[in-house]
mmCIF file of all heavy atoms in Angstrom:
data_model
loop_
_atom_site.group_PDB
_atom_site.id
_atom_site.type_symbol
_atom_site.label_atom_id
_atom_site.label_comp_id
_atom_site.label_asym_id
_atom_site.label_seq_id
_atom_site.Cartn_x
_atom_site.Cartn_y
_atom_site.Cartn_z
ATOM 1 N N ARG A 1 -10.145 -6.553 5.120
ATOM 2 C CA ARG A 1 -10.682 -7.559 6.233
ATOM 3 C C ARG A 1 -12.095 -8.025 5.829
ATOM 4 O O ARG A 1 -12.395 -9.154 6.080
ATOM 5 C CB ARG A 1 -10.645 -6.690 7.428
ATOM 6 C CG ARG A 1 -10.901 -7.514 8.671
ATOM 7 C CD ARG A 1 -10.711 -6.763 10.020
ATOM 8 N NE ARG A 1 -9.997 -7.453 10.781
ATOM 9 C CZ ARG A 1 -9.546 -6.936 11.957
ATOM 10 N NH1 ARG A 1 -9.733 -5.727 12.255
ATOM 11 N NH2 ARG A 1 -8.786 -7.735 12.816
ATOM 12 N N PHE A 2 -12.962 -7.099 5.410
ATOM 13 C CA PHE A 2 -14.296 -7.495 5.121
ATOM 14 C C PHE A 2 -14.379 -8.420 3.990
ATOM 15 O O PHE A 2 -15.083 -9.431 4.062
ATOM 16 C CB PHE A 2 -15.120 -6.168 4.760
ATOM 17 C CG PHE A 2 -16.525 -6.514 4.259
ATOM 18 C CD1 PHE A 2 -17.534 -6.869 5.125
ATOM 19 C CD2 PHE A 2 -16.798 -6.435 2.898
ATOM 20 C CE1 PHE A 2 -18.809 -7.161 4.828
ATOM 21 C CE2 PHE A 2 -18.141 -6.724 2.499
ATOM 22 C CZ PHE A 2 -19.063 -7.124 3.384
ATOM 23 N N MET A 3 -13.630 -8.154 2.940
ATOM 24 C CA MET A 3 -13.482 -9.136 1.735
ATOM 25 C C MET A 3 -12.963 -10.495 2.154
ATOM 26 O O MET A 3 -13.532 -11.615 1.723
ATOM 27 C CB MET A 3 -12.587 -8.508 0.663
ATOM 28 C CG MET A 3 -13.352 -7.329 -0.048
ATOM 29 S SD MET A 3 -14.843 -7.730 -0.838
ATOM 30 C CE MET A 3 -14.444 -8.965 -2.072
ATOM 31 N N LEU A 4 -12.027 -10.532 3.095
ATOM 32 C CA LEU A 4 -11.486 -11.888 3.438
ATOM 33 C C LEU A 4 -12.600 -12.575 4.277
ATOM 34 O O LEU A 4 -12.673 -13.840 4.213
ATOM 35 C CB LEU A 4 -10.275 -11.564 4.379
ATOM 36 C CG LEU A 4 -8.987 -11.129 3.649
ATOM 37 C CD1 LEU A 4 -7.868 -10.913 4.599
ATOM 38 C CD2 LEU A 4 -8.587 -12.310 2.671
ATOM 39 N N LYS A 5 -13.414 -11.911 5.034
ATOM 40 C CA LYS A 5 -14.429 -12.459 5.903
ATOM 41 C C LYS A 5 -15.488 -13.054 4.861
ATOM 42 O O LYS A 5 -15.960 -14.169 5.026
ATOM 43 C CB LYS A 5 -15.058 -11.431 6.779
ATOM 44 C CG LYS A 5 -14.264 -11.201 8.025
ATOM 45 C CD LYS A 5 -15.130 -10.317 8.938
ATOM 46 C CE LYS A 5 -14.247 -9.948 10.251
ATOM 47 N NZ LYS A 5 -14.921 -9.053 11.124
ATOM 48 N N VAL A 6 -15.875 -12.327 3.859
ATOM 49 C CA VAL A 6 -16.849 -12.669 2.897
ATOM 50 C C VAL A 6 -16.273 -13.984 2.091
ATOM 51 O O VAL A 6 -17.035 -14.890 1.919
ATOM 52 C CB VAL A 6 -17.165 -11.596 1.896
ATOM 53 C CG1 VAL A 6 -17.989 -12.088 0.701
ATOM 54 C CG2 VAL A 6 -17.955 -10.508 2.616
ATOM 55 N N ILE A 7 -15.065 -13.878 1.674
ATOM 56 C CA ILE A 7 -14.517 -15.056 0.971
ATOM 57 C C ILE A 7 -14.464 -16.265 1.787
ATOM 58 O O ILE A 7 -14.720 -17.335 1.508
ATOM 59 C CB ILE A 7 -13.028 -14.721 0.477
ATOM 60 C CG1 ILE A 7 -13.206 -13.702 -0.686
ATOM 61 C CG2 ILE A 7 -12.313 -15.920 0.008
ATOM 62 C CD1 ILE A 7 -11.954 -13.113 -1.162
ATOM 63 N N PHE A 8 -14.155 -16.106 3.082
ATOM 64 C CA PHE A 8 -14.084 -17.144 4.065
ATOM 65 C C PHE A 8 -15.474 -17.848 4.243
ATOM 66 O O PHE A 8 -15.641 -19.023 4.242
ATOM 67 C CB PHE A 8 -13.594 -16.761 5.488
ATOM 68 C CG PHE A 8 -13.546 -17.710 6.477
ATOM 69 C CD1 PHE A 8 -12.581 -18.827 6.533
ATOM 70 C CD2 PHE A 8 -14.582 -17.811 7.466
ATOM 71 C CE1 PHE A 8 -12.709 -19.718 7.472
ATOM 72 C CE2 PHE A 8 -14.538 -18.751 8.407
ATOM 73 C CZ PHE A 8 -13.677 -19.834 8.466
ATOM 74 N N ILE A 9 -16.449 -16.973 4.377
ATOM 75 C CA ILE A 9 -17.888 -17.458 4.614
ATOM 76 C C ILE A 9 -18.293 -18.200 3.324
ATOM 77 O O ILE A 9 -18.902 -19.321 3.421
ATOM 78 C CB ILE A 9 -18.769 -16.320 4.882
ATOM 79 C CG1 ILE A 9 -18.550 -15.778 6.328
ATOM 80 C CG2 ILE A 9 -20.272 -16.756 4.815
ATOM 81 C CD1 ILE A 9 -19.177 -14.508 6.746
ATOM 82 N N ILE A 10 -18.016 -17.728 2.131
ATOM 83 C CA ILE A 10 -18.451 -18.350 0.970
ATOM 84 C C ILE A 10 -17.770 -19.711 0.776
ATOM 85 O O ILE A 10 -18.341 -20.701 0.384
ATOM 86 C CB ILE A 10 -18.116 -17.474 -0.205
ATOM 87 C CG1 ILE A 10 -19.168 -16.258 -0.282
ATOM 88 C CG2 ILE A 10 -18.275 -18.193 -1.638
ATOM 89 C CD1 ILE A 10 -18.907 -15.179 -1.294
ATOM 90 N N SER A 11 -16.489 -19.763 1.005
ATOM 91 C CA SER A 11 -15.769 -21.028 0.838
ATOM 92 C C SER A 11 -16.196 -21.983 1.900
ATOM 93 O O SER A 11 -16.346 -23.206 1.569
ATOM 94 C CB SER A 11 -14.194 -20.721 0.969
ATOM 95 O OG SER A 11 -13.927 -20.334 2.243
ATOM 96 N N MET A 12 -16.508 -21.559 3.063
ATOM 97 C CA MET A 12 -16.944 -22.550 4.111
ATOM 98 C C MET A 12 -18.292 -23.081 3.783
ATOM 99 O O MET A 12 -18.689 -24.306 3.913
ATOM 100 C CB MET A 12 -17.044 -21.912 5.484
ATOM 101 C CG MET A 12 -15.687 -21.764 6.144
ATOM 102 S SD MET A 12 -14.916 -23.339 6.542
ATOM 103 C CE MET A 12 -13.495 -23.209 5.622
ATOM 104 N N THR A 13 -19.118 -22.229 3.173
ATOM 105 C CA THR A 13 -20.452 -22.586 2.725
ATOM 106 C C THR A 13 -20.459 -23.735 1.674
ATOM 107 O O THR A 13 -21.110 -24.766 1.664
ATOM 108 C CB THR A 13 -21.280 -21.407 2.209
ATOM 109 O OG1 THR A 13 -21.382 -20.459 3.291
ATOM 110 C CG2 THR A 13 -22.732 -21.780 1.704
ATOM 111 N N ILE A 14 -19.495 -23.473 0.673
ATOM 112 C CA ILE A 14 -19.338 -24.434 -0.369
ATOM 113 C C ILE A 14 -18.733 -25.743 0.127
ATOM 114 O O ILE A 14 -19.268 -26.901 -0.302
ATOM 115 C CB ILE A 14 -18.368 -23.841 -1.498
ATOM 116 C CG1 ILE A 14 -19.131 -22.678 -2.217
ATOM 117 C CG2 ILE A 14 -17.900 -24.910 -2.475
ATOM 118 C CD1 ILE A 14 -18.193 -21.854 -3.151
ATOM 119 N N LEU A 15 -17.793 -25.684 0.931
ATOM 120 C CA LEU A 15 -17.179 -26.935 1.485
ATOM 121 C C LEU A 15 -18.223 -27.682 2.361
ATOM 122 O O LEU A 15 -18.279 -28.925 2.260
ATOM 123 C CB LEU A 15 -15.951 -26.580 2.349
ATOM 124 C CG LEU A 15 -14.704 -26.203 1.606
ATOM 125 C CD1 LEU A 15 -13.568 -25.773 2.521
ATOM 126 C CD2 LEU A 15 -14.239 -27.309 0.701
ATOM 127 N N THR A 16 -19.022 -27.019 3.144
ATOM 128 C CA THR A 16 -20.039 -27.553 3.894
ATOM 129 C C THR A 16 -21.058 -28.311 2.995
ATOM 130 O O THR A 16 -21.540 -29.417 3.238
ATOM 131 C CB THR A 16 -20.777 -26.567 4.874
ATOM 132 O OG1 THR A 16 -19.799 -26.000 5.674
ATOM 133 C CG2 THR A 16 -21.808 -27.307 5.622
ATOM 134 N N SER A 17 -21.519 -27.627 1.936
ATOM 135 C CA SER A 17 -22.462 -28.235 1.015
ATOM 136 C C SER A 17 -21.865 -29.545 0.339
ATOM 137 O O SER A 17 -22.619 -30.548 0.267
ATOM 138 C CB SER A 17 -22.780 -27.239 -0.111
ATOM 139 O OG SER A 17 -23.360 -26.115 0.469
ATOM 140 N N ILE A 18 -20.643 -29.520 -0.008
ATOM 141 C CA ILE A 18 -19.924 -30.666 -0.656
ATOM 142 C C ILE A 18 -19.972 -31.793 0.383
ATOM 143 O O ILE A 18 -20.307 -32.956 0.079
ATOM 144 C CB ILE A 18 -18.578 -30.304 -1.113
ATOM 145 C CG1 ILE A 18 -18.700 -29.422 -2.338
ATOM 146 C CG2 ILE A 18 -17.812 -31.615 -1.449
ATOM 147 C CD1 ILE A 18 -17.373 -28.815 -2.774
ATOM 148 N N CYS A 19 -19.567 -31.496 1.687
ATOM 149 C CA CYS A 19 -19.500 -32.589 2.696
ATOM 150 C C CYS A 19 -20.838 -33.120 3.045
ATOM 151 O O CYS A 19 -21.076 -34.328 3.144
ATOM 152 C CB CYS A 19 -18.994 -31.988 3.976
ATOM 153 S SG CYS A 19 -17.168 -31.587 3.900
ATOM 154 N N LEU A 20 -21.892 -32.224 2.928
ATOM 155 C CA LEU A 20 -23.277 -32.793 3.188
ATOM 156 C C LEU A 20 -23.743 -33.684 2.082
ATOM 157 O O LEU A 20 -24.404 -34.715 2.386
ATOM 158 C CB LEU A 20 -24.179 -31.618 3.388
ATOM 159 C CG LEU A 20 -24.166 -30.901 4.759
ATOM 160 C CD1 LEU A 20 -25.131 -29.668 4.724
ATOM 161 C CD2 LEU A 20 -24.499 -31.784 5.887
ATOM 162 N N ILE A 21 -23.339 -33.385 0.872
ATOM 163 C CA ILE A 21 -23.781 -34.236 -0.267
ATOM 164 C C ILE A 21 -23.050 -35.590 -0.149
ATOM 165 O O ILE A 21 -23.634 -36.625 -0.379
ATOM 166 C CB ILE A 21 -23.413 -33.510 -1.651
ATOM 167 C CG1 ILE A 21 -24.425 -32.397 -1.843
ATOM 168 C CG2 ILE A 21 -23.476 -34.529 -2.783
ATOM 169 C CD1 ILE A 21 -24.075 -31.513 -3.049
ATOM 170 N N ILE A 22 -21.809 -35.513 0.212
ATOM 171 C CA ILE A 22 -20.941 -36.817 0.405
ATOM 172 C C ILE A 22 -21.624 -37.691 1.483
ATOM 173 O O ILE A 22 -21.814 -38.942 1.265
ATOM 174 C CB ILE A 22 -19.492 -36.528 0.665
ATOM 175 C CG1 ILE A 22 -18.857 -35.925 -0.661
ATOM 176 C CG2 ILE A 22 -18.793 -37.833 1.028
ATOM 177 C CD1 ILE A 22 -17.450 -35.284 -0.397
ATOM 178 N N VAL A 23 -21.887 -37.041 2.607
ATOM 179 C CA VAL A 23 -22.512 -37.802 3.724
ATOM 180 C C VAL A 23 -23.896 -38.283 3.295
ATOM 181 O O VAL A 23 -24.180 -39.474 3.551
ATOM 182 C CB VAL A 23 -22.652 -36.806 4.985
ATOM 183 C CG1 VAL A 23 -23.550 -37.544 6.104
ATOM 184 C CG2 VAL A 23 -21.243 -36.517 5.564
ATOM 185 N N TYR A 24 -24.722 -37.551 2.700
ATOM 186 C CA TYR A 24 -25.957 -37.978 2.234
ATOM 187 C C TYR A 24 -25.834 -39.180 1.216
ATOM 188 O O TYR A 24 -26.551 -40.124 1.358
ATOM 189 C CB TYR A 24 -26.641 -36.861 1.457
ATOM 190 C CG TYR A 24 -27.993 -37.111 0.762
ATOM 191 C CD1 TYR A 24 -29.214 -37.163 1.427
ATOM 192 C CD2 TYR A 24 -28.008 -37.386 -0.706
ATOM 193 C CE1 TYR A 24 -30.408 -37.463 0.921
ATOM 194 C CE2 TYR A 24 -29.210 -37.616 -1.250
ATOM 195 C CZ TYR A 24 -30.419 -37.693 -0.460
ATOM 196 O OH TYR A 24 -31.605 -37.975 -1.149
ATOM 197 N N ASP A 25 -24.917 -39.040 0.366
ATOM 198 C CA ASP A 25 -24.561 -40.132 -0.634
ATOM 199 C C ASP A 25 -24.211 -41.476 0.097
ATOM 200 O O ASP A 25 -24.714 -42.498 -0.216
ATOM 201 C CB ASP A 25 -23.569 -39.703 -1.600
ATOM 202 C CG ASP A 25 -24.063 -39.742 -3.023
ATOM 203 O OD1 ASP A 25 -25.327 -39.730 -3.245
ATOM 204 O OD2 ASP A 25 -23.224 -39.703 -3.980
ATOM 205 N N ASN A 26 -23.290 -41.291 1.020
ATOM 206 C CA ASN A 26 -22.769 -42.496 1.782
ATOM 207 C C ASN A 26 -23.886 -43.173 2.605
ATOM 208 O O ASN A 26 -23.999 -44.386 2.580
ATOM 209 C CB ASN A 26 -21.604 -42.035 2.643
ATOM 210 C CG ASN A 26 -20.302 -41.862 1.788
ATOM 211 O OD1 ASN A 26 -20.242 -42.218 0.715
ATOM 212 N ND2 ASN A 26 -19.404 -41.073 2.375
ATOM 213 N N ALA A 27 -24.658 -42.327 3.207
ATOM 214 C CA ALA A 27 -25.783 -42.913 4.149
ATOM 215 C C ALA A 27 -26.841 -43.648 3.252
ATOM 216 O O ALA A 27 -27.215 -44.692 3.590
ATOM 217 C CB ALA A 27 -26.528 -41.674 4.837
ATOM 218 N N ASN A 28 -27.139 -42.958 2.093
ATOM 219 C CA ASN A 28 -28.126 -43.739 1.216
ATOM 220 C C ASN A 28 -27.539 -44.978 0.625
ATOM 221 O O ASN A 28 -28.245 -45.887 0.418
ATOM 222 C CB ASN A 28 -28.594 -42.700 0.109
ATOM 223 C CG ASN A 28 -29.642 -41.794 0.619
ATOM 224 O OD1 ASN A 28 -30.434 -42.129 1.463
ATOM 225 N ND2 ASN A 28 -29.640 -40.558 0.137
ATOM 226 N N THR A 29 -26.286 -44.907 0.389
ATOM 227 C CA THR A 29 -25.645 -46.186 -0.247
ATOM 228 C C THR A 29 -25.703 -47.358 0.837
ATOM 229 O O THR A 29 -25.974 -48.418 0.458
ATOM 230 C CB THR A 29 -24.178 -45.929 -0.721
ATOM 231 O OG1 THR A 29 -24.157 -44.878 -1.568
ATOM 232 C CG2 THR A 29 -23.514 -47.053 -1.149
#
């Protein structure tokens, strides 16, 4: 259960970072 929580947090962090870069790129464009 702990490992699943850690994996979930890591994957959400990565996805959020990717989304923020996309939003940043689109706004600057």
